[in-house]
C-alpha cells in the first residue's frame, strides 16, 4: 500500500482490490478534537461521502465506484480515477473545463445536493471526462443560500489558485452552471453570492 497524499483530513493510499488499482481514503484522528466528537465526525463524513458518491451517479455525475466502507477506522475503498486533478492542468485546459465543471455543479444543485468543498483538486480529468470526488462535506439542500456557498467557494479558489485565468474560468463556469439551472434560479443564487461577498471580507469597514 502506497501513501499517495497526506491531506488535512485524510490519508490517501493507492492499493489493489482484486487486482484493481484502488484508493483507500482513511480519515485521521484530530488530536485537538474531543475524542468522542472526533469519532462521530469522522464516521459521519465517511457515511456521507460514500452515500453521496453513489447517489450523484444516478444524475449522471462521474464519480469513483465505492468498493468498501469501514466505519471502524472511517475508511473508504474506492475505484482509482487515474487522471489529473483539474488544479494541476495547464491554464488553457482549466479555462475550457470550467464550463463542464459548472455544468456538473449545476446538475448536483438541481438535484438537491451541495458538494461542500468545491476546489479544483476535487475534479479529476480522466479519458476526457471530469470526475467529481471528496463528498465528505456534502449536504442535501435545495436552498439557494446553500448553493451560493458552493459557488462562492469555487470562485474564491479560482481567484486564489488560478488568479491569472480567474475571469475567463469563472465566466465559463457560470455559463455551464446557468445552462443547467436556468436563468431564474441562476439570478437568485448569484444574488446570494453577492450577499455573502458583501457580508464577508469585502464588506466596508466603517
Ligand atoms: N478515487 C480517486 N482516484 C484518484 N485520485 C484520488 C481519488 N480520491 C482521492 N484522490 C487524490 O487524493 C487527493 C485527496 O483526496 P480527497 O478525497 O480530495 O481528500 P481531502 O479531503 O484530503 O481533500 C485528491 O485531490 C486526489 O488527488
Ligand atoms: Mg479534496
Amino acid at each position: 500500500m502506497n501513501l499517495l497524499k497526506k491531506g488535512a483530513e485524510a490519508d490517501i493510499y493507492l492499493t489493489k482490490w482484486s487486482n484493481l488499482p484502488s484508493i483507500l481514503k482513511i480519515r485521521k484522528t484530530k488530536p485537538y478534537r474531543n475524542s468522542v466528537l472526533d469519532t462521530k465526525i469522522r464516521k459521519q463524513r465517511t457515511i456521507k461521502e460514500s452515500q453521496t458518491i453513489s447517489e450523484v451517479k444516478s444524475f449522471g455525475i462521474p464519480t469513483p465506484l465505492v468498493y468498501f466502507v469501514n466505519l471502524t477506522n472511517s475508511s473508504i475503498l474506492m475505484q482509482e480515477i487515474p487522471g489529473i486533478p483539474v488544479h494541476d492542468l495547464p491554464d488553457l485546459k482549466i479555462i475550457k473545463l470550467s464550463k463542464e465543471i459548472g455544468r456538473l455543479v449545476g446538475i448536483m444543485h438541481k438535484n438537491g445536493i451541495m458538494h461542500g468543498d468545491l476546489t479544483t483538486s476535487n475534479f479529476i480529468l480522466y479519458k476526457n471526462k471530469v470526475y467529481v470526488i471528496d463528498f465528505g462535506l456534502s449536504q442535501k439542500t435545495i436552498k439557494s443560500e446553500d448553493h451560493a456557498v458552493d459557488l462562492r467557494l469555487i470562485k474564491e479558489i479560482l481567484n486564489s489558485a488560478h488568479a491569472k485565468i480567474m475571469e475567463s474560468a469563472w465566466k465559463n463556469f457560470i455559463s455551464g452552471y446557468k445552462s443547467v439551472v436556468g436563468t431564474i434560479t441562476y439570478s437568485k443564487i448569484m444574488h446570494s453570492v453577492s450577499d455573502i461577498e458583501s457580508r464577508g471580507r469585502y464588506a466596508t469597514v466603517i
Side-chain angles (χ1 to χ4, degrees):
M1 209 160 75
N2 278 331
L3 181 65
L4 203 68
K5 268 183 186 134
K6 256 185 134 36
E9 209 211 341
D11 287 338
I12 305 284
Y13 296 90
L14 185 59
T15 177
K16 283 265 163 79
W17 182 68
S18 325
N19 250 352
L20 291 170
S22 316
I23 291 285
L24 182 66
K25 175 171 180 174
I26 308 181
R27 285 195 155 78
K28 294 181 290 191
T29 307
K30 299 238 172 149
Y32 57 82
R33 262 189 215 142
N34 167 288
S35 77
V36 177
L37 183 65
D38 181 70
T39 309
K40 198 171 153 192
I41 289 175
R42 286 186 295 131
K43 220 178 205 174
Q44 259 173 5
R45 291 191 181 162
T46 304
I47 294 171
K48 184 58 81 181
E49 171 150 42
S50 55
Q51 281 176 341
T52 314
I53 280 187
S54 303
E55 185 180 351
V56 298
K57 266 186 198 301
S58 63
F59 326 138
I61 306 284
T63 53
L65 277 166
V66 172
Y67 297 143
F68 282 111
V69 180
N70 182 346
L71 291 182
T72 313
N73 68 348
S74 294
S75 70
I76 302 178
L77 185 72
M78 66 183 116
Q79 179 188 13
E80 184 206 13
I81 307 300
I84 303 176
V86 168
H87 178 274
D88 302 337
L89 290 168
D91 282 354
L92 279 177
K93 193 83 185 165
I94 300 180
I95 294 175
K96 191 167 160 262
L97 288 177
S98 292
K99 189 165 179 182
E100 174 61 8
I101 292 175
R103 208 182 62 83
L104 293 171
V105 175
I107 295 174
M108 291 191 268
H109 287 181
K110 206 174 171 176
N111 287 283
I113 301 281
M114 168 196 182
H115 182 278
D117 193 12
L118 285 184
T119 70
T120 45
S121 301
N122 289 336
F123 293 90
I124 301 176
L125 179 67
Y126 176 57
K127 287 195 174 164
N128 244 350
K129 229 187 199 182
V130 179
Y131 288 75
V132 191
I133 60 164
D134 207 0
F135 285 92
L137 296 175
S138 64
Q139 279 182 52
K140 272 198 173 37
T141 169
I142 52 163
K143 282 205 245 161
S144 55
E145 291 87 351
D146 291 333
H147 296 175
V149 171
D150 256 358
L151 297 204
R152 179 66 201 121
L153 180 61
I154 186 85
K155 190 178 174 190
E156 183 60 37
I157 296 290
L158 291 175
N159 222 342
S160 54
H162 311 280
K164 269 197 295 188
I165 56 160
M166 195 279 162
E167 273 178 31
S168 28
W170 179 240
K171 197 175 119 242
N172 281 353
F173 176 94
I174 281 176
S175 115
Y177 185 82
K178 201 162 146 187
S179 75
V180 175
V181 302
T183 319
I184 298 172
T185 306
Y186 165 78
S187 307
K188 208 170 152 194
I189 292 170
M190 285 317 275
H191 247 99
S192 285
V193 172
S194 308
D195 247 23
I196 298 170
E197 286 174 349
S198 63
R199 270 187 270 131
R201 61 190 173 82
Y202 298 96
T204 319
V205 179
I206 303 171

